[in-house]
Amino acid sequence: MAASTARKAILYLRLARVDHWFKNIFVLPGIVAAFLLEPGTRRPGAFGSILLGLLATCLVASSNYVLNEILDARTDRFHPTKSNRPLVSRELSITVAYVEWILLALLGAAIGCMLPRTFLAGLAALWLMGLVYNVPPVRSKEVPYLDVLSEAINNPIRFLLGWSSVGAVSFPPSSFLLSYWLIGSYLMTAKRLSEYRSFADPAEAGRYRASFRHYNEALLATAMLTYAAGFMFFFGVLMMKYHIEYLLALPLLLLYVAYYSYLSFQPHSVAQNPEKLYRDAPLMALTVLLAGVLWGLSYLNLPGLAHWLGMGGVGW
Protein backbone atom coordinates (compact mmCIF):
# COMPACT_ATOMS: atom_id res chain seq x y z
CA MET A 1 0.00 0.00 0.00
CA ALA A 2 2.78 2.42 0.94
CA ALA A 3 4.59 1.65 -2.32
CA SER A 4 1.40 2.31 -4.29
CA THR A 5 0.83 5.64 -2.49
CA ALA A 6 4.43 6.70 -3.10
CA ARG A 7 4.12 5.80 -6.78
CA LYS A 8 0.96 7.88 -7.14
CA ALA A 9 2.63 10.80 -5.38
CA ILE A 10 5.46 10.64 -7.90
CA LEU A 11 2.95 10.55 -10.76
CA TYR A 12 1.17 13.64 -9.40
CA LEU A 13 4.54 15.36 -9.15
CA ARG A 14 5.20 14.47 -12.79
CA LEU A 15 2.01 16.29 -13.77
CA ALA A 16 3.80 19.47 -12.68
CA ARG A 17 6.57 18.74 -15.20
CA VAL A 18 9.44 19.85 -13.01
CA ASP A 19 11.74 18.71 -15.82
CA HIS A 20 10.23 21.55 -17.91
CA TRP A 21 11.45 24.19 -15.45
CA PHE A 22 14.47 24.54 -17.73
CA LYS A 23 12.23 26.66 -20.00
CA ASN A 24 12.14 29.37 -17.34
CA ILE A 25 15.68 30.26 -18.32
CA PHE A 26 13.82 32.79 -20.49
CA VAL A 27 13.47 34.87 -17.31
CA LEU A 28 17.22 35.52 -17.25
CA PRO A 29 17.46 37.94 -20.23
CA GLY A 30 14.95 40.19 -18.46
CA ILE A 31 17.21 40.23 -15.42
CA VAL A 32 20.31 40.98 -17.52
CA ALA A 33 18.49 43.76 -19.41
CA ALA A 34 17.40 45.34 -16.12
CA PHE A 35 20.98 45.27 -14.83
CA LEU A 36 22.23 46.91 -18.03
CA LEU A 37 19.52 49.55 -18.44
CA GLU A 38 18.71 50.33 -14.79
CA PRO A 39 21.90 50.43 -12.66
CA GLY A 40 19.76 50.78 -9.52
CA THR A 41 18.77 47.13 -9.83
CA ARG A 42 22.36 46.03 -9.14
CA ARG A 43 21.92 45.80 -5.39
CA PRO A 44 23.18 43.31 -2.77
CA GLY A 45 19.77 41.69 -2.29
CA ALA A 46 19.17 41.12 -6.00
CA PHE A 47 20.36 37.50 -5.92
CA GLY A 48 17.74 36.53 -3.33
CA SER A 49 15.03 38.26 -5.36
CA ILE A 50 16.15 36.40 -8.48
CA LEU A 51 15.89 33.03 -6.72
CA LEU A 52 12.43 33.83 -5.33
CA GLY A 53 11.31 35.06 -8.73
CA LEU A 54 12.51 31.94 -10.50
CA LEU A 55 10.84 29.67 -7.95
CA ALA A 56 7.52 31.54 -8.15
CA THR A 57 7.64 31.46 -11.95
CA CYS A 58 8.37 27.72 -11.98
CA LEU A 59 5.46 26.99 -9.63
CA VAL A 60 2.96 28.99 -11.70
CA ALA A 61 4.27 27.38 -14.89
CA SER A 62 3.76 23.98 -13.24
CA SER A 63 0.19 24.97 -12.38
CA ASN A 64 -0.36 25.61 -16.10
CA TYR A 65 1.24 22.27 -16.97
CA VAL A 66 -1.14 20.41 -14.65
CA LEU A 67 -4.13 22.12 -16.25
CA ASN A 68 -2.73 21.23 -19.66
CA GLU A 69 -2.45 17.55 -18.67
CA ILE A 70 -6.03 17.54 -17.34
CA LEU A 71 -7.66 19.14 -20.38
CA ASP A 72 -5.48 17.36 -22.95
CA ALA A 73 -6.19 13.87 -21.62
CA ARG A 74 -9.03 13.47 -24.13
CA THR A 75 -6.80 14.03 -27.17
CA ASP A 76 -3.47 12.74 -25.81
CA ARG A 77 -4.72 9.21 -26.40
CA PHE A 78 -4.05 9.78 -30.11
CA HIS A 79 -0.37 10.65 -29.54
CA PRO A 80 2.22 7.84 -29.88
CA THR A 81 3.85 8.57 -26.50
CA LYS A 82 1.50 10.90 -24.60
CA SER A 83 -1.16 8.19 -24.66
CA ASN A 84 0.75 6.62 -21.75
CA ARG A 85 0.18 9.59 -19.46
CA PRO A 86 -1.51 8.64 -16.14
CA LEU A 87 -4.49 10.95 -16.61
CA VAL A 88 -5.14 9.42 -20.04
CA SER A 89 -5.17 5.93 -18.52
CA ARG A 90 -7.22 7.22 -15.55
CA GLU A 91 -4.58 5.98 -13.15
CA LEU A 92 -4.82 9.32 -11.32
CA SER A 93 -7.82 11.27 -10.02
CA ILE A 94 -8.90 14.30 -12.09
CA THR A 95 -10.24 15.92 -8.90
CA VAL A 96 -6.89 15.64 -7.12
CA ALA A 97 -5.16 16.99 -10.24
CA TYR A 98 -7.43 20.08 -10.17
CA VAL A 99 -6.50 20.60 -6.50
CA GLU A 100 -2.83 20.35 -7.46
CA TRP A 101 -3.39 22.95 -10.20
CA ILE A 102 -4.83 25.47 -7.71
CA LEU A 103 -2.30 24.78 -4.95
CA LEU A 104 0.69 25.30 -7.24
CA ALA A 105 -0.75 28.62 -8.41
CA LEU A 106 -1.41 29.77 -4.84
CA LEU A 107 2.06 28.76 -3.68
CA GLY A 108 3.65 30.63 -6.60
CA ALA A 109 1.52 33.70 -5.84
CA ALA A 110 2.45 33.56 -2.14
CA ILE A 111 6.15 33.68 -3.05
CA GLY A 112 5.45 36.37 -5.64
CA CYS A 113 3.96 38.57 -2.90
CA MET A 114 7.49 38.91 -1.48
CA LEU A 115 8.55 40.71 -4.66
CA PRO A 116 7.36 43.96 -6.31
CA ARG A 117 3.70 44.23 -7.32
CA THR A 118 4.69 44.39 -10.98
CA PHE A 119 6.19 40.91 -10.59
CA LEU A 120 2.95 39.60 -9.08
CA ALA A 121 1.02 41.11 -12.00
CA GLY A 122 3.36 39.26 -14.38
CA LEU A 123 2.69 35.99 -12.54
CA ALA A 124 -1.04 36.58 -12.89
CA ALA A 125 -0.59 37.17 -16.63
CA LEU A 126 1.39 33.92 -16.96
CA TRP A 127 -1.34 31.98 -15.17
CA LEU A 128 -4.15 33.62 -17.15
CA MET A 129 -2.42 32.75 -20.42
CA GLY A 130 -2.54 29.14 -19.25
CA LEU A 131 -6.35 29.50 -19.13
CA VAL A 132 -6.49 31.14 -22.56
CA TYR A 133 -4.34 28.38 -24.04
CA ASN A 134 -6.12 25.42 -22.45
CA VAL A 135 -9.68 26.19 -21.41
CA PRO A 136 -12.71 26.12 -23.75
CA PRO A 137 -14.33 27.99 -25.34
CA VAL A 138 -11.19 29.99 -26.18
CA ARG A 139 -8.64 27.14 -25.98
CA SER A 140 -6.24 28.95 -28.29
CA LYS A 141 -4.07 25.85 -28.68
CA GLU A 142 -6.66 24.51 -31.15
CA VAL A 143 -6.61 27.61 -33.39
CA PRO A 144 -3.95 27.60 -36.13
CA TYR A 145 -1.26 30.28 -35.72
CA LEU A 146 -2.95 31.60 -32.59
CA ASP A 147 -1.83 28.38 -30.88
CA VAL A 148 1.81 29.39 -31.39
CA LEU A 149 1.39 33.12 -30.76
CA SER A 150 -0.59 32.64 -27.54
CA GLU A 151 1.92 30.17 -26.12
CA ALA A 152 4.96 32.17 -27.26
CA ILE A 153 3.66 35.29 -25.52
CA ASN A 154 4.82 33.58 -22.34
CA ASN A 155 8.34 34.55 -23.48
CA PRO A 156 7.85 38.33 -23.08
CA ILE A 157 5.88 37.65 -19.90
CA ARG A 158 8.90 35.75 -18.54
CA PHE A 159 11.12 38.64 -19.67
CA LEU A 160 8.89 41.00 -17.66
CA LEU A 161 9.07 38.67 -14.66
CA GLY A 162 12.87 38.76 -14.75
CA TRP A 163 12.85 42.52 -15.30
CA SER A 164 10.51 43.24 -12.38
CA SER A 165 11.94 40.65 -9.98
CA VAL A 166 15.07 42.77 -9.44
CA GLY A 167 13.07 45.96 -8.93
CA ALA A 168 13.27 47.67 -12.34
CA VAL A 169 10.77 50.54 -12.20
CA SER A 170 10.38 51.49 -15.87
CA PHE A 171 8.71 49.43 -18.58
CA PRO A 172 11.22 47.53 -20.76
CA PRO A 173 11.70 48.66 -24.37
CA SER A 174 9.09 47.29 -26.77
CA SER A 175 11.83 46.09 -29.15
CA PHE A 176 13.00 43.67 -26.43
CA LEU A 177 9.51 42.30 -25.88
CA LEU A 178 8.54 42.00 -29.55
CA SER A 179 11.80 40.31 -30.57
CA TYR A 180 11.40 37.95 -27.60
CA TRP A 181 7.82 37.14 -28.58
CA LEU A 182 8.75 36.41 -32.18
CA ILE A 183 11.76 34.21 -31.40
CA GLY A 184 9.44 32.28 -29.09
CA SER A 185 6.92 31.97 -31.93
CA TYR A 186 9.70 30.65 -34.17
CA LEU A 187 10.73 28.06 -31.57
CA MET A 188 7.14 26.95 -30.96
CA THR A 189 6.47 26.62 -34.70
CA ALA A 190 9.61 24.51 -35.00
CA LYS A 191 8.13 22.29 -32.28
CA ARG A 192 4.81 22.09 -34.16
CA LEU A 193 6.62 21.15 -37.38
CA SER A 194 8.61 18.44 -35.62
CA GLU A 195 5.43 17.12 -33.96
CA TYR A 196 3.49 17.17 -37.22
CA ARG A 197 6.22 15.22 -39.01
CA SER A 198 6.16 12.53 -36.30
CA PHE A 199 2.70 11.40 -37.48
CA ALA A 200 2.51 9.15 -40.53
CA ASP A 201 -1.10 10.14 -41.17
CA PRO A 202 -2.25 13.83 -41.22
CA ALA A 203 -5.72 12.73 -40.08
CA GLU A 204 -4.19 11.12 -37.00
CA ALA A 205 -2.25 14.32 -36.32
CA GLY A 206 -5.52 16.27 -36.51
CA ARG A 207 -7.16 13.99 -33.95
CA TYR A 208 -4.29 14.69 -31.55
CA ARG A 209 -4.10 18.48 -32.09
CA ALA A 210 -7.02 20.31 -33.74
CA SER A 211 -4.77 23.00 -35.26
CA PHE A 212 -2.97 20.26 -37.23
CA ARG A 213 -6.09 19.89 -39.37
CA HIS A 214 -5.23 23.26 -40.92
CA TYR A 215 -1.45 22.90 -41.09
CA ASN A 216 0.93 21.15 -43.42
CA GLU A 217 4.72 21.07 -43.57
CA ALA A 218 4.93 23.93 -46.07
CA LEU A 219 2.71 26.23 -43.97
CA LEU A 220 4.64 25.49 -40.80
CA ALA A 221 8.02 26.03 -42.48
CA THR A 222 6.75 29.31 -43.95
CA ALA A 223 5.53 30.45 -40.54
CA MET A 224 8.93 29.62 -39.04
CA LEU A 225 10.64 31.79 -41.66
CA THR A 226 8.19 34.63 -41.04
CA TYR A 227 8.67 34.62 -37.27
CA ALA A 228 12.46 34.40 -37.66
CA ALA A 229 12.42 37.40 -40.02
CA GLY A 230 10.26 39.37 -37.57
CA PHE A 231 12.64 38.54 -34.74
CA MET A 232 15.63 39.70 -36.78
CA PHE A 233 13.85 42.98 -37.59
CA PHE A 234 13.09 43.86 -33.99
CA PHE A 235 16.49 42.64 -32.86
CA GLY A 236 17.92 45.09 -35.41
CA VAL A 237 15.79 47.88 -33.92
CA LEU A 238 17.10 46.93 -30.48
CA MET A 239 20.70 47.09 -31.71
CA MET A 240 20.26 50.44 -33.46
CA LYS A 241 18.63 52.07 -30.45
CA TYR A 242 20.60 50.61 -27.59
CA HIS A 243 23.81 48.81 -28.46
CA ILE A 244 25.01 48.50 -32.05
CA GLU A 245 27.87 46.26 -30.94
CA TYR A 246 25.40 43.34 -30.75
CA LEU A 247 25.66 43.32 -34.54
CA LEU A 248 28.93 41.41 -34.17
CA ALA A 249 26.95 38.46 -32.80
CA LEU A 250 24.71 38.29 -35.86
CA PRO A 251 26.65 35.52 -37.71
CA LEU A 252 26.46 33.32 -34.61
CA LEU A 253 22.75 34.10 -34.19
CA LEU A 254 22.08 33.14 -37.82
CA LEU A 255 23.97 29.88 -37.29
CA TYR A 256 21.85 29.18 -34.21
CA VAL A 257 18.58 29.71 -36.10
CA ALA A 258 19.82 27.63 -39.04
CA TYR A 259 20.80 24.71 -36.80
CA TYR A 260 17.52 24.82 -34.87
CA SER A 261 15.61 24.85 -38.16
CA TYR A 262 17.59 21.79 -39.22
CA LEU A 263 16.65 20.03 -35.97
CA SER A 264 12.94 20.61 -36.58
CA PHE A 265 13.17 18.37 -39.65
CA GLN A 266 14.95 15.54 -37.81
CA PRO A 267 12.94 12.68 -36.28
CA HIS A 268 12.83 12.55 -32.46
CA SER A 269 14.96 15.73 -32.18
CA VAL A 270 14.96 18.06 -29.18
CA ALA A 271 12.99 20.59 -31.28
CA GLN A 272 9.94 18.45 -30.48
CA ASN A 273 10.76 18.57 -26.76
CA PRO A 274 12.34 21.98 -25.98
CA GLU A 275 12.62 21.09 -22.31
CA LYS A 276 15.31 18.59 -23.36
CA LEU A 277 17.45 21.04 -25.34
CA TYR A 278 20.36 20.28 -23.02
CA ARG A 279 20.57 16.80 -24.57
CA ASP A 280 21.75 18.19 -27.92
CA ALA A 281 25.45 18.94 -27.43
CA PRO A 282 25.95 21.19 -30.50
CA LEU A 283 22.86 23.22 -29.62
CA MET A 284 23.96 23.67 -26.01
CA ALA A 285 27.45 24.67 -27.14
CA LEU A 286 25.91 27.27 -29.46
CA THR A 287 23.61 28.48 -26.66
CA VAL A 288 26.46 28.96 -24.19
CA LEU A 289 28.67 30.58 -26.83
CA LEU A 290 25.92 32.95 -27.98
CA ALA A 291 25.02 33.93 -24.42
CA GLY A 292 28.70 34.54 -23.61
CA VAL A 293 29.26 36.62 -26.74
CA LEU A 294 26.16 38.75 -26.12
CA TRP A 295 27.20 39.26 -22.51
CA GLY A 296 30.69 40.32 -23.55
CA LEU A 297 29.39 42.63 -26.28
CA SER A 298 27.18 44.34 -23.68
CA TYR A 299 30.34 45.88 -22.23
CA LEU A 300 32.03 46.64 -25.55
CA ASN A 301 31.92 50.15 -26.99
CA LEU A 302 33.01 50.68 -30.61
CA PRO A 303 32.07 54.22 -31.73
CA GLY A 304 33.62 53.58 -35.13
CA LEU A 305 31.12 50.77 -35.83
CA ALA A 306 28.12 53.11 -35.78
CA HIS A 307 29.97 55.59 -38.00
CA TRP A 308 30.97 52.85 -40.45
CA LEU A 309 27.33 51.78 -40.73
CA GLY A 310 26.28 55.34 -41.50
CA MET A 311 24.08 55.79 -38.44
CA GLY A 312 25.10 59.46 -38.30
CA GLY A 313 24.16 60.01 -41.92
CA VAL A 314 27.56 59.19 -43.37
CA GLY A 315 29.56 56.02 -43.73
CA TRP A 316 29.54 52.84 -45.75
Side-chain angles (χ1 to χ4, degrees), residues 72-122:
D72 278 7
R74 178 179 56 86
T75 54
D76 278 348
R77 69 182 188 272
F78 299 113
H79 192 274
T81 57
K82 293 180 181 180
S83 56
N84 296 319
R85 287 178 170 177
L87 286 179
V88 178
S89 62
R90 299 187 179 182
E91 190 174 356
L92 297 180
S93 163
I94 294 288
T95 302
V96 175
Y98 272 117
V99 171
E100 181 181 0
W101 166 56
I102 295 297
L103 287 178
L104 285 168
L106 291 176
L107 185 55
I111 296 172
C113 287
M114 304 178 192
L115 296 169
R117 290 183 180 179
T118 49
F119 178 85
L120 192 58

Side-chain angles (χ1 to χ4, degrees), residues 1 21 26-27 36 53 59 67 80 136 142 155 170 172 179 197 199 209 212 224 227 239 273 302:
M1 178 67 105
W21 283 9
F26 285 104
V27 169
L36 293 173
L59 289 169
L67 183 64
E142 296 186 348
N155 268 19
S170 63
S179 62
R197 286 172 53 82
F199 288 91
R209 190 181 291 278
F212 281 172
M224 280 176 60
Y227 296 136
M239 288 189 296
N273 299 286
L302 298 173

Side-chain angles (χ1 to χ4, degrees), residues 18 34 94 110 141 163 282:
V18 175
I94 294 288
K141 71 181 300 175
W163 175 270

Side-chain angles (χ1 to χ4, degrees), residues 161-173:
L161 288 169
W163 175 270
S164 59
S165 69
V166 292
V169 294
S170 63
F171 195 77

Side-chain angles (χ1 to χ4, degrees), residues 3-264:
S4 175
T5 302
R7 183 177 180 279
K8 281 200 171 183
I10 292 172
L11 291 177
Y12 280 115
L13 180 61
R14 287 180 181 171
L15 294 182
R17 301 185 195 171
V18 175
D19 58 325
H20 284 44
W21 283 9
F22 177 79
K23 293 180 182 177
N24 292 308
I25 195 172
F26 285 104
V27 169
L28 298 180
I31 297 168
V32 173
F35 285 167
L36 293 173
L37 297 178
E38 289 201 18
T41 58
R42 305 172 205 161
R43 50 189 174 78
F47 184 70
S49 297
I50 291 170
L51 291 180
L52 287 174
L54 283 171
L55 180 58
T57 302
C58 288
L59 289 169
V60 171
S62 281
S63 173
N64 287 343
Y65 292 144
V66 172
L67 183 64
N68 181 271
E69 293 254 359
I70 293 169
L71 297 180
D72 278 7
R74 178 179 56 86
T75 54
D76 278 348
R77 69 182 188 272
F78 299 113
H79 192 274
T81 57
K82 293 180 181 180
S83 56
N84 296 319
R85 287 178 170 177
L87 286 179
V88 178
S89 62
R90 299 187 179 182
E91 190 174 356
L92 297 180
S93 163
I94 294 288
T95 302
V96 175
Y98 272 117
V99 171
E100 181 181 0
W101 166 56
I102 295 297
L103 287 178
L104 285 168
L106 291 176
L107 185 55
I111 296 172
C113 287
M114 304 178 192
L115 296 169
R117 290 183 180 179
T118 49
F119 178 85
L120 192 58
L123 275 185
L126 184 65
W127 192 73
L128 287 173
M129 284 310 302
L131 300 182
V132 170
Y133 188 70
N134 289 293
V135 179
V138 179
R139 196 161 164 81
S140 63
K141 71 181 300 175
E142 296 186 348
V143 182
Y145 304 108
L146 185 59
D147 60 337
V148 166
L149 292 170
S150 61
E151 185 169 8
I153 204 169
N154 289 332
N155 268 19
I157 291 175
R158 284 184 172 97
F159 186 98
L160 289 167
L161 288 169
W163 175 270
S164 59
S165 69
V166 292
V169 294
S170 63
F171 195 77
S174 59
S175 53
F176 278 72
L177 299 178
L178 288 169
S179 62
Y180 219 45
W181 186 11
L182 287 166
I183 193 60
S185 298
Y186 160 80
L187 294 171
M188 286 310 306
T189 306
K191 178 182 178 181
R192 292 286 184 272
L193 177 59
S194 185
E195 279 184 327
Y196 185 84
R197 286 172 53 82
S198 69
F199 288 91
D201 179 10
E204 185 182 356
R207 285 193 293 271
Y208 160 64
R209 190 181 291 278
S211 62
F212 281 172
R213 298 168 194 163
H214 308 275
Y215 286 140
N216 57 46
E217 288 189 33
L219 287 174
L220 288 166
T222 302
M224 280 176 60
L225 177 62
T226 303
Y227 296 136
F231 162 69
M232 289 298 182
F233 173 80
F234 285 109
F235 187 73
V237 172
L238 184 158
M239 288 189 296
M240 296 289 285
K241 288 180 64 177
Y242 298 102
H243 202 66
I244 192 61
E245 286 76 10
Y246 285 141
L247 179 66
L248 299 177
L250 189 58
L252 188 58
L253 186 58
L254 290 172
L255 178 61
Y256 193 96
V257 171
Y259 182 68
Y260 202 92
S261 299
Y262 166 79
L263 288 178
S264 67

